[in-house]
Amino acid sequence: MNNTLREKVALVTGGASGIGHATALALAAEGAYVVVADVDEAGGQAVVAEIGDLGGQAFFQYSDVSQAADVVALIEAIVGRYGRIDCAVNNAGIEGLPARTADTSEADFDRIMAINVKGVWLCMKHEIQRMITQGGGVIVNIASVAGLVGAHSLPVYAASKHAVVGLTKSAALEYARKNIRINAVCPSVVRTPMVERAVEIMPQFAEATIKGNPSRRLGEPEEVAAAVVWLCSDASSFTNGATVTVDGGFTAQ
Ligand code: NAD
C-alpha cells in the first residue's frame, strides 16, 4: 500500500470486471475506501472480497448507471456510509454489436447511448452536486481512443465515447473554480472480458489490433488503472479537462 489516496472515498462504476476491477484494486492499494457499483452483483461482491483479502476496505452497491434512481441511491449510499465522495471513476460502459453505420440497429444505438452517455452524465450530475457541497473532488471518466478518432464497425460506440470527452471537457470548465477536477482516460484495446467478447464475434480482432498498434500489443487493465490512480491523486493537481491516452502510441500515428 502506497497511501497516496489514504482514507479517500472512491467510487468505481462497472467495477465488477476488466478495467473497473483493476481500478478498484489499484485505488484500494493506495489506501482508498472503494465503492464498487455494477449491475453484476456476483462479480462486484467478488471484487469487494478480493480487496478485503488484500487488507483494503470496500463495499458493493447494485447500480444501473442508465437509471437515475439507481444513481441517486448510489450516491446516497456512499454519503450515508462515509459522509463524502472524493474520487469518482465513471467506467461502466458497453460496446454493442459490431456493425457498420448503415447496419447498426436502433435498439443498439439506444442501449449504447443510455449506458455510455446518459450513464456518465447521470453519474457526473449527482457526483458534482455532492462534490460542490463538500468543497471539491475528482472525477475520471473512462472514454476510449474511440472518443478521439473513428472506430470501424463501432460507430455508435465511437459517438458515445466522443460524447464522454465532450461532457468531460465541458464540466471541467464549469467546475474548475469549485475545486473539482474532471478528466477522461482514453485507452486503446485492453485485454478485458469486453475484448474477449469481440474476439468471439470477430476472431481476427485481437491480431489486427496488435498489428495496428505501434507497441504491437494490447493494453493491460492495470496500465489504465495506473493512469486513473494518478488522476485521482494530488500528483495531478493541475490536470483538468484532459484526455489522457493510454494507447501504446495508437493515436500518435
Ligand atoms: P467489461 O465488459 O469487462 O466491464 C464493464 C463492466 O461494466 C461490467 O462489470 C458490466 O457489468 C458493467 N456494466 C455494464 N453496463 C452497466 C450499467 N448499465 N450499469 C453499471 N454497470 C454496468 O469492459 P471493460 O473492457 O473493462 O470496459 C470498461 C470501460 O472501459 C468501458 O467504458 C469501455 O468502453 C472502456 N474501454 C474499454 C476498452 C477495452 O479495450 N477493453 C478500451 C477503451 C475503453
mmCIF file of all heavy atoms in Angstrom, residues 13-20 37-40 63-66 91-95 115-116 142-145 157 161 187-195 197, ligand 1:
data_model
loop_
_atom_site.group_PDB
_atom_site.id
_atom_site.type_symbol
_atom_site.label_atom_id
_atom_site.label_comp_id
_atom_site.label_asym_id
_atom_site.label_seq_id
_atom_site.Cartn_x
_atom_site.Cartn_y
_atom_site.Cartn_z
ATOM 1 N N THR A 13 -17.689 2.816 -11.083
ATOM 2 C CA THR A 13 -18.845 2.168 -11.711
ATOM 3 C C THR A 13 -18.317 1.114 -12.696
ATOM 4 O O THR A 13 -17.226 1.266 -13.256
ATOM 5 C CB THR A 13 -19.757 3.165 -12.456
ATOM 6 O OG1 THR A 13 -19.079 3.660 -13.623
ATOM 7 C CG2 THR A 13 -20.162 4.342 -11.557
ATOM 8 N N GLY A 14 -19.086 0.061 -12.868
ATOM 9 C CA GLY A 14 -18.594 -1.038 -13.706
ATOM 10 C C GLY A 14 -17.378 -1.700 -13.075
ATOM 11 O O GLY A 14 -16.511 -2.224 -13.766
ATOM 12 N N GLY A 15 -17.331 -1.681 -11.744
ATOM 13 C CA GLY A 15 -16.148 -2.158 -11.020
ATOM 14 C C GLY A 15 -16.043 -3.672 -10.906
ATOM 15 O O GLY A 15 -15.083 -4.173 -10.333
ATOM 16 N N ALA A 16 -17.019 -4.395 -11.471
ATOM 17 C CA ALA A 16 -17.005 -5.856 -11.317
ATOM 18 C C ALA A 16 -16.063 -6.555 -12.292
ATOM 19 O O ALA A 16 -15.746 -7.730 -12.104
ATOM 20 C CB ALA A 16 -18.429 -6.398 -11.497
ATOM 21 N N SER A 17 -15.612 -5.858 -13.322
ATOM 22 C CA SER A 17 -14.911 -6.561 -14.408
ATOM 23 C C SER A 17 -13.849 -5.680 -15.051
ATOM 24 O O SER A 17 -13.916 -4.440 -14.968
ATOM 25 C CB SER A 17 -15.957 -6.966 -15.471
ATOM 26 O OG SER A 17 -15.362 -7.491 -16.628
ATOM 27 N N GLY A 18 -12.881 -6.301 -15.676
ATOM 28 C CA GLY A 18 -11.948 -5.620 -16.575
ATOM 29 C C GLY A 18 -11.244 -4.410 -15.992
ATOM 30 O O GLY A 18 -10.615 -4.477 -14.923
ATOM 31 N N ILE A 19 -11.358 -3.286 -16.680
ATOM 32 C CA ILE A 19 -10.678 -2.044 -16.264
ATOM 33 C C ILE A 19 -11.202 -1.574 -14.902
ATOM 34 O O ILE A 19 -10.432 -1.124 -14.050
ATOM 35 C CB ILE A 19 -10.865 -0.953 -17.348
ATOM 36 C CG1 ILE A 19 -10.083 -1.338 -18.615
ATOM 37 C CG2 ILE A 19 -10.432 0.413 -16.827
ATOM 38 C CD1 ILE A 19 -10.401 -0.481 -19.840
ATOM 39 N N GLY A 20 -12.504 -1.695 -14.682
ATOM 40 C CA GLY A 20 -13.090 -1.271 -13.402
ATOM 41 C C GLY A 20 -12.561 -2.107 -12.247
ATOM 42 O O GLY A 20 -12.245 -1.584 -11.169
ATOM 43 N N ALA A 37 -19.665 -0.298 -7.915
ATOM 44 C CA ALA A 37 -21.054 -0.235 -8.376
ATOM 45 C C ALA A 37 -21.147 -0.955 -9.715
ATOM 46 O O ALA A 37 -20.300 -0.756 -10.593
ATOM 47 C CB ALA A 37 -21.492 1.218 -8.534
ATOM 48 N N ASP A 38 -22.156 -1.800 -9.846
ATOM 49 C CA ASP A 38 -22.269 -2.565 -11.091
ATOM 50 C C ASP A 38 -23.650 -3.194 -11.175
ATOM 51 O O ASP A 38 -24.377 -3.229 -10.170
ATOM 52 C CB ASP A 38 -21.179 -3.671 -11.113
ATOM 53 C CG ASP A 38 -20.773 -4.076 -12.532
ATOM 54 O OD1 ASP A 38 -21.626 -4.665 -13.224
ATOM 55 O OD2 ASP A 38 -19.637 -3.814 -12.933
ATOM 56 N N VAL A 39 -24.009 -3.693 -12.354
ATOM 57 C CA VAL A 39 -25.240 -4.484 -12.488
ATOM 58 C C VAL A 39 -24.937 -5.965 -12.252
ATOM 59 O O VAL A 39 -25.853 -6.780 -12.173
ATOM 60 C CB VAL A 39 -25.897 -4.299 -13.880
ATOM 61 C CG1 VAL A 39 -26.515 -2.910 -14.000
ATOM 62 C CG2 VAL A 39 -24.907 -4.548 -15.016
ATOM 63 N N ASP A 40 -23.656 -6.303 -12.191
ATOM 64 C CA ASP A 40 -23.222 -7.680 -11.941
ATOM 65 C C ASP A 40 -22.906 -7.825 -10.447
ATOM 66 O O ASP A 40 -21.805 -7.522 -10.004
ATOM 67 C CB ASP A 40 -21.982 -7.978 -12.803
ATOM 68 C CG ASP A 40 -21.367 -9.335 -12.502
ATOM 69 O OD1 ASP A 40 -21.925 -10.081 -11.657
ATOM 70 O OD2 ASP A 40 -20.325 -9.648 -13.114
ATOM 71 N N SER A 63 -26.067 -0.966 -9.068
ATOM 72 C CA SER A 63 -26.484 0.287 -9.685
ATOM 73 C C SER A 63 -26.405 0.180 -11.202
ATOM 74 O O SER A 63 -25.350 -0.119 -11.753
ATOM 75 C CB SER A 63 -25.579 1.433 -9.197
ATOM 76 O OG SER A 63 -26.025 2.655 -9.741
ATOM 77 N N ASP A 64 -27.535 0.400 -11.850
ATOM 78 C CA ASP A 64 -27.548 0.505 -13.313
ATOM 79 C C ASP A 64 -27.381 1.992 -13.615
ATOM 80 O O ASP A 64 -28.287 2.781 -13.357
ATOM 81 C CB ASP A 64 -28.875 -0.029 -13.851
ATOM 82 C CG ASP A 64 -28.966 0.091 -15.377
ATOM 83 O OD1 ASP A 64 -28.177 0.863 -15.986
ATOM 84 O OD2 ASP A 64 -29.844 -0.575 -15.958
ATOM 85 N N VAL A 65 -26.219 2.356 -14.179
ATOM 86 C CA VAL A 65 -25.909 3.788 -14.328
ATOM 87 C C VAL A 65 -26.840 4.514 -15.297
ATOM 88 O O VAL A 65 -26.866 5.746 -15.318
ATOM 89 C CB VAL A 65 -24.433 4.015 -14.757
ATOM 90 C CG1 VAL A 65 -23.479 3.555 -13.670
ATOM 91 C CG2 VAL A 65 -24.129 3.351 -16.103
ATOM 92 N N SER A 66 -27.606 3.759 -16.085
ATOM 93 C CA SER A 66 -28.523 4.419 -17.018
ATOM 94 C C SER A 66 -29.844 4.809 -16.336
ATOM 95 O O SER A 66 -30.700 5.444 -16.954
ATOM 96 C CB SER A 66 -28.800 3.516 -18.224
ATOM 97 O OG SER A 66 -29.524 2.371 -17.824
ATOM 98 N N ASN A 91 -16.782 4.422 -15.175
ATOM 99 C CA ASN A 91 -16.139 3.452 -16.060
ATOM 100 C C ASN A 91 -17.136 2.526 -16.752
ATOM 101 O O ASN A 91 -16.851 2.009 -17.831
ATOM 102 C CB ASN A 91 -15.154 2.629 -15.190
ATOM 103 C CG ASN A 91 -14.768 1.321 -15.815
ATOM 104 O OD1 ASN A 91 -13.915 1.272 -16.692
ATOM 105 N ND2 ASN A 91 -15.406 0.232 -15.384
ATOM 106 N N ALA A 92 -18.338 2.352 -16.174
ATOM 107 C CA ALA A 92 -19.295 1.399 -16.747
ATOM 108 C C ALA A 92 -19.578 1.757 -18.198
ATOM 109 O O ALA A 92 -19.836 2.915 -18.520
ATOM 110 C CB ALA A 92 -20.597 1.407 -15.942
ATOM 111 N N GLY A 93 -19.520 0.765 -19.055
ATOM 112 C CA GLY A 93 -19.786 1.018 -20.474
ATOM 113 C C GLY A 93 -19.944 -0.284 -21.216
ATOM 114 O O GLY A 93 -19.516 -1.344 -20.748
ATOM 115 N N ILE A 94 -20.582 -0.185 -22.375
ATOM 116 C CA ILE A 94 -20.772 -1.376 -23.218
ATOM 117 C C ILE A 94 -20.315 -1.049 -24.636
ATOM 118 O O ILE A 94 -20.241 0.117 -25.020
ATOM 119 C CB ILE A 94 -22.244 -1.854 -23.233
ATOM 120 C CG1 ILE A 94 -23.172 -0.726 -23.752
ATOM 121 C CG2 ILE A 94 -22.679 -2.314 -21.843
ATOM 122 C CD1 ILE A 94 -24.556 -1.204 -24.118
ATOM 123 N N GLU A 95 -20.050 -2.106 -25.404
ATOM 124 C CA GLU A 95 -19.523 -1.904 -26.756
ATOM 125 C C GLU A 95 -20.592 -2.062 -27.837
ATOM 126 O O GLU A 95 -20.474 -1.504 -28.908
ATOM 127 C CB GLU A 95 -18.348 -2.863 -27.019
ATOM 128 C CG GLU A 95 -18.695 -4.346 -27.145
ATOM 129 C CD GLU A 95 -18.922 -5.072 -25.820
ATOM 130 O OE1 GLU A 95 -19.288 -4.429 -24.824
ATOM 131 O OE2 GLU A 95 -18.767 -6.310 -25.784
ATOM 132 N N ILE A 115 -26.297 3.804 -21.683
ATOM 133 C CA ILE A 115 -25.296 3.419 -20.667
ATOM 134 C C ILE A 115 -24.043 4.297 -20.777
ATOM 135 O O ILE A 115 -23.582 4.869 -19.793
ATOM 136 C CB ILE A 115 -24.952 1.914 -20.794
ATOM 137 C CG1 ILE A 115 -26.200 1.087 -20.487
ATOM 138 C CG2 ILE A 115 -23.778 1.550 -19.868
ATOM 139 C CD1 ILE A 115 -26.069 -0.394 -20.748
ATOM 140 N N ASN A 116 -23.512 4.442 -21.979
ATOM 141 C CA ASN A 116 -22.208 5.129 -22.122
ATOM 142 C C ASN A 116 -22.308 6.653 -21.996
ATOM 143 O O ASN A 116 -21.374 7.284 -21.520
ATOM 144 C CB ASN A 116 -21.575 4.796 -23.476
ATOM 145 C CG ASN A 116 -21.189 3.328 -23.597
ATOM 146 O OD1 ASN A 116 -21.560 2.507 -22.754
ATOM 147 N ND2 ASN A 116 -20.465 2.984 -24.639
ATOM 148 N N ILE A 142 -13.998 7.112 -18.011
ATOM 149 C CA ILE A 142 -13.281 6.219 -18.912
ATOM 150 C C ILE A 142 -13.916 6.339 -20.289
ATOM 151 O O ILE A 142 -15.024 5.829 -20.530
ATOM 152 C CB ILE A 142 -13.292 4.749 -18.420
ATOM 153 C CG1 ILE A 142 -12.775 4.659 -16.967
ATOM 154 C CG2 ILE A 142 -12.441 3.891 -19.359
ATOM 155 C CD1 ILE A 142 -11.361 5.162 -16.735
ATOM 156 N N ALA A 143 -13.232 7.060 -21.171
ATOM 157 C CA ALA A 143 -13.695 7.184 -22.560
ATOM 158 C C ALA A 143 -13.002 6.090 -23.357
ATOM 159 O O ALA A 143 -13.084 4.909 -23.002
ATOM 160 C CB ALA A 143 -13.385 8.577 -23.088
ATOM 161 N N SER A 144 -12.252 6.467 -24.395
ATOM 162 C CA SER A 144 -11.595 5.470 -25.261
ATOM 163 C C SER A 144 -10.850 6.242 -26.342
ATOM 164 O O SER A 144 -11.163 7.421 -26.587
ATOM 165 C CB SER A 144 -12.671 4.593 -25.917
ATOM 166 O OG SER A 144 -12.130 3.811 -26.964
ATOM 167 N N VAL A 145 -9.928 5.581 -27.013
ATOM 168 C CA VAL A 145 -9.377 6.224 -28.219
ATOM 169 C C VAL A 145 -10.494 6.420 -29.241
ATOM 170 O O VAL A 145 -10.402 7.306 -30.101
ATOM 171 C CB VAL A 145 -8.200 5.425 -28.852
ATOM 172 C CG1 VAL A 145 -6.977 5.441 -27.954
ATOM 173 C CG2 VAL A 145 -8.620 4.000 -29.204
ATOM 174 N N TYR A 157 -20.555 3.290 -30.684
ATOM 175 C CA TYR A 157 -19.624 3.273 -29.549
ATOM 176 C C TYR A 157 -18.697 4.486 -29.652
ATOM 177 O O TYR A 157 -18.485 5.200 -28.668
ATOM 178 C CB TYR A 157 -18.814 1.967 -29.578
ATOM 179 C CG TYR A 157 -17.794 1.839 -28.473
ATOM 180 C CD1 TYR A 157 -18.181 1.482 -27.179
ATOM 181 C CD2 TYR A 157 -16.433 2.068 -28.715
ATOM 182 C CE1 TYR A 157 -17.246 1.372 -26.156
ATOM 183 C CE2 TYR A 157 -15.494 1.959 -27.701
ATOM 184 C CZ TYR A 157 -15.907 1.602 -26.423
ATOM 185 O OH TYR A 157 -14.975 1.501 -25.418
ATOM 186 N N LYS A 161 -18.342 7.635 -27.030
ATOM 187 C CA LYS A 161 -17.101 7.997 -26.340
ATOM 188 C C LYS A 161 -16.668 9.431 -26.687
ATOM 189 O O LYS A 161 -16.077 10.114 -25.846
ATOM 190 C CB LYS A 161 -16.008 6.973 -26.652
ATOM 191 C CG LYS A 161 -16.306 5.582 -26.085
ATOM 192 C CD LYS A 161 -16.459 5.595 -24.573
ATOM 193 C CE LYS A 161 -16.631 4.221 -23.973
ATOM 194 N NZ LYS A 161 -16.703 4.220 -22.505
ATOM 195 N N PRO A 187 -8.243 4.761 -23.344
ATOM 196 C CA PRO A 187 -7.418 3.584 -23.652
ATOM 197 C C PRO A 187 -7.672 3.090 -25.070
ATOM 198 O O PRO A 187 -8.770 3.261 -25.619
ATOM 199 C CB PRO A 187 -7.903 2.525 -22.654
ATOM 200 C CG PRO A 187 -8.906 3.198 -21.767
ATOM 201 C CD PRO A 187 -9.398 4.401 -22.504
ATOM 202 N N SER A 188 -6.629 2.474 -25.669
ATOM 203 C CA SER A 188 -6.858 1.679 -26.877
ATOM 204 C C SER A 188 -7.313 0.296 -26.406
ATOM 205 O O SER A 188 -7.742 0.154 -25.258
ATOM 206 C CB SER A 188 -5.585 1.609 -27.721
ATOM 207 O OG SER A 188 -4.534 1.048 -26.959
ATOM 208 N N VAL A 189 -7.238 -0.699 -27.260
ATOM 209 C CA VAL A 189 -7.816 -2.000 -26.899
ATOM 210 C C VAL A 189 -7.032 -2.641 -25.741
ATOM 211 O O VAL A 189 -5.815 -2.761 -25.796
ATOM 212 C CB VAL A 189 -7.855 -2.932 -28.129
ATOM 213 C CG1 VAL A 189 -8.427 -4.290 -27.740
ATOM 214 C CG2 VAL A 189 -8.701 -2.294 -29.226
ATOM 215 N N VAL A 190 -7.794 -3.004 -24.718
ATOM 216 C CA VAL A 190 -7.227 -3.519 -23.460
ATOM 217 C C VAL A 190 -7.768 -4.931 -23.241
ATOM 218 O O VAL A 190 -8.940 -5.200 -23.507
ATOM 219 C CB VAL A 190 -7.645 -2.596 -22.285
ATOM 220 C CG1 VAL A 190 -7.132 -3.125 -20.959
ATOM 221 C CG2 VAL A 190 -7.158 -1.168 -22.523
ATOM 222 N N ARG A 191 -6.916 -5.781 -22.727
ATOM 223 C CA ARG A 191 -7.295 -7.190 -22.528
ATOM 224 C C ARG A 191 -8.309 -7.329 -21.385
ATOM 225 O O ARG A 191 -7.944 -7.403 -20.225
ATOM 226 C CB ARG A 191 -6.031 -7.979 -22.181
ATOM 227 C CG ARG A 191 -6.137 -9.498 -22.335
ATOM 228 C CD ARG A 191 -4.902 -10.170 -21.791
ATOM 229 N NE ARG A 191 -3.680 -9.646 -22.376
ATOM 230 C CZ ARG A 191 -3.173 -10.058 -23.538
ATOM 231 N NH1 ARG A 191 -3.779 -10.998 -24.215
ATOM 232 N NH2 ARG A 191 -2.061 -9.529 -24.005
ATOM 233 N N THR A 192 -9.602 -7.322 -21.710
ATOM 234 C CA THR A 192 -10.674 -7.462 -20.710
ATOM 235 C C THR A 192 -11.764 -8.376 -21.285
ATOM 236 O O THR A 192 -11.755 -8.681 -22.490
ATOM 237 C CB THR A 192 -11.340 -6.104 -20.394
ATOM 238 O OG1 THR A 192 -12.084 -5.698 -21.559
ATOM 239 C CG2 THR A 192 -10.344 -5.032 -20.015
ATOM 240 N N PRO A 193 -12.751 -8.753 -20.467
ATOM 241 C CA PRO A 193 -13.873 -9.544 -20.988
ATOM 242 C C PRO A 193 -14.581 -8.875 -22.172
ATOM 243 O O PRO A 193 -15.081 -9.552 -23.074
ATOM 244 C CB PRO A 193 -14.800 -9.676 -19.776
ATOM 245 C CG PRO A 193 -13.849 -9.668 -18.611
ATOM 246 C CD PRO A 193 -12.781 -8.677 -18.987
ATOM 247 N N MET A 194 -14.602 -7.520 -22.194
ATOM 248 C CA MET A 194 -15.226 -6.830 -23.332
ATOM 249 C C MET A 194 -14.532 -7.214 -24.635
ATOM 250 O O MET A 194 -15.169 -7.468 -25.657
ATOM 251 C CB MET A 194 -15.159 -5.311 -23.135
ATOM 252 C CG MET A 194 -15.753 -4.512 -24.274
ATOM 253 S SD MET A 194 -15.569 -2.718 -24.079
ATOM 254 C CE MET A 194 -16.917 -2.326 -22.986
ATOM 255 N N VAL A 195 -13.222 -7.279 -24.595
ATOM 256 C CA VAL A 195 -12.452 -7.593 -25.798
ATOM 257 C C VAL A 195 -12.525 -9.089 -26.108
ATOM 258 O O VAL A 195 -12.577 -9.496 -27.279
ATOM 259 C CB VAL A 195 -11.000 -7.083 -25.629
ATOM 260 C CG1 VAL A 195 -10.083 -7.631 -26.692
ATOM 261 C CG2 VAL A 195 -11.015 -5.552 -25.681
ATOM 262 N N ARG A 197 -15.139 -10.803 -25.740
ATOM 263 C CA ARG A 197 -16.419 -10.943 -26.466
ATOM 264 C C ARG A 197 -16.253 -10.537 -27.920
ATOM 265 O O ARG A 197 -16.772 -11.187 -28.825
ATOM 266 C CB ARG A 197 -17.505 -10.060 -25.813
ATOM 267 C CG ARG A 197 -17.989 -10.552 -24.462
ATOM 268 C CD ARG A 197 -19.250 -9.819 -24.019
ATOM 269 N NE ARG A 197 -19.045 -8.396 -23.742
ATOM 270 C CZ ARG A 197 -18.653 -7.902 -22.562
ATOM 271 N NH1 ARG A 197 -18.418 -8.728 -21.545
ATOM 272 N NH2 ARG A 197 -18.493 -6.611 -22.379
HETATM 273 P P1 NAD B 1 -16.083 -5.097 -19.219
HETATM 274 O O1 NAD B 1 -17.230 -5.540 -20.047
HETATM 275 O O2 NAD B 1 -15.018 -6.079 -18.839
HETATM 276 O O3 NAD B 1 -16.616 -4.423 -17.871
HETATM 277 C C1 NAD B 1 -17.654 -3.475 -17.896
HETATM 278 C C2 NAD B 1 -18.403 -3.531 -16.565
HETATM 279 O O4 NAD B 1 -19.460 -2.577 -16.633
HETATM 280 C C3 NAD B 1 -19.044 -4.882 -16.288
HETATM 281 O O5 NAD B 1 -18.778 -5.282 -14.963
HETATM 282 C C4 NAD B 1 -20.523 -4.626 -16.506
HETATM 283 O O6 NAD B 1 -21.363 -5.454 -15.723
HETATM 284 C C5 NAD B 1 -20.627 -3.163 -16.110
HETATM 285 N N1 NAD B 1 -21.823 -2.528 -16.655
HETATM 286 C C6 NAD B 1 -22.349 -2.669 -17.908
HETATM 287 N N2 NAD B 1 -23.480 -1.952 -18.013
HETATM 288 C C7 NAD B 1 -23.669 -1.349 -16.815
HETATM 289 C C8 NAD B 1 -24.670 -0.489 -16.307
HETATM 290 N N3 NAD B 1 -25.723 -0.103 -17.049
HETATM 291 N N4 NAD B 1 -24.550 -0.038 -15.040
HETATM 292 C C9 NAD B 1 -23.495 -0.419 -14.266
HETATM 293 N N5 NAD B 1 -22.533 -1.249 -14.687
HETATM 294 C C10 NAD B 1 -22.615 -1.706 -15.957
HETATM 295 O O7 NAD B 1 -15.457 -3.880 -20.004
HETATM 296 P P2 NAD B 1 -14.033 -3.143 -19.899
HETATM 297 O O8 NAD B 1 -13.263 -3.522 -21.084
HETATM 298 O O9 NAD B 1 -13.444 -3.285 -18.560
HETATM 299 O O10 NAD B 1 -14.523 -1.638 -20.144
HETATM 300 C C11 NAD B 1 -14.644 -0.694 -19.088
HETATM 301 C C12 NAD B 1 -14.754 0.688 -19.699
HETATM 302 O O11 NAD B 1 -13.568 0.950 -20.464
HETATM 303 C C13 NAD B 1 -15.922 0.851 -20.679
HETATM 304 O O12 NAD B 1 -16.469 2.157 -20.543
HETATM 305 C C14 NAD B 1 -15.254 0.693 -22.023
HETATM 306 O O13 NAD B 1 -15.980 1.325 -23.044
HETATM 307 C C15 NAD B 1 -13.926 1.343 -21.777
HETATM 308 N N6 NAD B 1 -12.872 0.944 -22.690
HETATM 309 C C16 NAD B 1 -12.535 -0.365 -22.839
HETATM 310 C C17 NAD B 1 -11.517 -0.710 -23.725
HETATM 311 C C18 NAD B 1 -11.105 -2.145 -23.938
HETATM 312 O O14 NAD B 1 -10.422 -2.408 -24.943
HETATM 313 N N7 NAD B 1 -11.431 -3.074 -23.068
HETATM 314 C C19 NAD B 1 -10.860 0.281 -24.443
HETATM 315 C C20 NAD B 1 -11.235 1.613 -24.258
HETATM 316 C C21 NAD B 1 -12.235 1.937 -23.377
#
